[in-house]
Amino acid sequence: MVNKKPEWLIRKLPEKQSLNKMEEMLVSLSLNTVCQEAKCPNIGECFKNKTATFMILGDVCTRQCKFCAVTKGEPSSPDPEEPKNVAKAIKKLGLKHAVITSVTRDDLEDGGAGHFVNTIKEVRNYNPKVSIEVLVPDFTGKEASIQKIIDAKPEIINHNLETVAPLYSVVRPQAQYHRSLELLQRVKAKDTSILTKTGIMLGLGEKDEEVMELVEDLVNIQCDILTFGQYLRPTREHLPVQEYVTPEKFQYYKEEAEKRGIKFVESGPFVRSSYNAAKGFDTLQQKENL
């Protein structure tokens, strides 16, 4: 366990004016963002640039992951107006690439897949030119739920592995590494036109060889996009940081993952799965059009 943050993890406080304007709009539409709920270190930068990752299905999660700051407990029923309100917010912000995620809803029969589909439809109704990226939970491995998302044809389906396989019992006790891997594999097997994406946190005690094994697993299922970021402890009740990974090490992982066959890799201390999400999509679109 380490305590003092190194200099490369020190950032200026975000501008209050940018935060207030975005927060006012979100409140007016009864919306949540993962930026706020997960205490993302990039919130100031993203809100200033009028970007956000919208979190649907409420703000209470049914899982007890040891790294996440999102509220845990018994969630309320999904808001039927939420899909339309997300679409309105995206239009107000003038976004070209929209990222939509959710809390995990193991209490719902389909895990919330239908609500995701309704949101995708509403976003397209209001914003026909917007590319859509969904960051989904594992739906407890239910094929029918995953198929609903695939059939809605978002441009990117993202599902975060979060950490290496040996650490799942500690970091994600209600999740399964291979179940998450199979979700990404199923997307590619059903529709090769949809880009697949995942991300992991470093600094939880993973070993180099375990990270490389994860990368190889992703290469084998043709995952397109991978992000590496530094785990930061949200509160004292969460898992402690085992290591502050250097920028040089992040660069090493990026180069190794690309060398092994991942098409687009974003890697750095402040990288998060949805940070600069449009960049990965645009880059791969340009490569495809060459």
Side-chain angles (χ1 to χ4, degrees):
M1 180 176 128
V2 293
N3 293 312
K4 188 177 178 181
K5 285 184 182 179
E7 59 181 16
W8 63 79
L9 280 173
I10 298 172
R11 298 193 102 174
K12 291 181 180 179
L13 290 172
E15 294 178 11
K16 285 188 177 181
Q17 187 177 5
S18 301
L19 288 176
N20 291 341
K21 282 184 179 179
M22 178 68 89
E23 286 170 352
E24 284 171 10
M25 186 202 70
L26 294 169
V27 169
S28 72
L29 293 171
S30 302
L31 295 176
N32 303 295
T33 67
V34 74
C35 325
Q36 297 161 302
E37 296 298 324
K39 304 183 188 300
C40 179
N42 303 310
I43 188 169
E45 180 184 347
C46 291
F47 277 18
K48 183 178 179 180
N49 294 327
K50 294 186 178 180
T51 64
T53 298
F54 296 97
M55 190 170 75
I56 61 175
L57 292 165
D59 60 357
V60 179
C61 186
T62 55
R63 299 263 175 110
Q64 300 291 325
C65 295
K66 305 299 183 182
F67 65 89
C68 182
V70 174
T71 303
K72 281 85 172 165
E74 293 186 15
S76 55
S77 298
D79 177 3
E81 293 300 310
E82 191 173 54
K84 190 171 290 185
N85 286 337
V86 170
K88 288 178 180 177
I90 289 167
K91 191 174 184 67
K92 278 188 177 183
L93 289 168
L95 301 184
K96 293 181 179 179
H97 184 79
V99 184
I100 302 158
T101 188
S102 77
V103 289
T104 299
R105 294 294 302 262
D106 290 333
D107 60 310
L108 300 176
E109 179 62 30
D110 70 349
H115 199 74
F116 262 104
V117 171
N118 290 338
T119 305
I120 292 168
K121 287 178 179 177
E122 289 291 352
V123 170
R124 289 217 168 106
N125 285 339
Y126 277 79
N127 313 271
K129 294 184 179 180
V130 167
S131 54
I132 299 174
E133 175 175 334
V134 291
L135 171 52
V136 299
D138 63 18
F139 301 116
T140 60
K142 292 179 180 176
E143 290 188 35
S145 294
I146 299 165
Q147 191 61 48
K148 283 183 183 180
I149 305 295
I150 296 169
D151 290 343
K153 291 186 76 70
E155 278 71 19
I156 298 178
I157 294 179
N158 182 355
H159 174 66
N160 285 336
L161 292 177
E162 305 291 9
T163 189
V164 296
L167 292 181
Y168 257 58
S169 61
V170 175
V171 179
R172 303 185 71 197
Q174 291 161 285
Q176 297 170 18
Y177 177 80
H178 288 289
R179 185 167 69 192
S180 287
L181 206 62
E182 284 169 7
L183 185 154
L184 295 165
Q185 185 176 27
R186 183 170 287 120
V187 173
K188 218 56 172 172
K190 296 289 185 178
D191 191 337
T192 56
S193 71
I194 298 175
L195 296 172
T196 51
K197 176 178 176 181
T198 193
I200 71 165
M201 302 169 290
L202 301 177
L204 285 162
E206 66 287 333
K207 299 173 183 175
D208 281 2
E209 58 268 27
E210 292 169 345
V211 175
M212 287 302 106
E213 285 172 10
L214 177 146
V215 170
E216 290 293 346
D217 286 341
L218 294 174
V219 171
N220 289 337
I221 62 167
Q222 298 179 299
C223 184
D224 299 292
I225 303 170
L226 172 60
T227 62
F228 294 102
Q230 171 70 53
Y231 167 66
L232 296 174
R233 190 183 198 183
T235 72
R236 290 181 180 275
E237 282 69 50
H238 292 83
L239 290 170
V241 176
Q242 298 298 324
E243 177 188 5
Y244 287 122
V245 179
T246 65
E248 291 77 18
K249 191 63 174 288
F250 275 105
Q251 182 62 27
Y252 164 78
Y253 282 134
K254 174 181 170 65
E255 291 172 0
E256 287 297 314
E258 289 175 339
K259 192 187 300 180
R260 283 167 165 75
I262 304 295
K263 294 177 183 176
F264 183 87
V265 183
E266 194 77 79
S267 183
F270 288 110
V271 169
R272 296 296 180 266
S273 184
S274 302
Y275 177 58
N276 274 341
K279 182 181 174 184
F281 177 70
D282 290 343
T283 300
L284 293 185
Q285 284 293 99
Q286 288 168 9
K287 285 182 179 178
E288 191 174 298
N289 293 330
L290 288 177

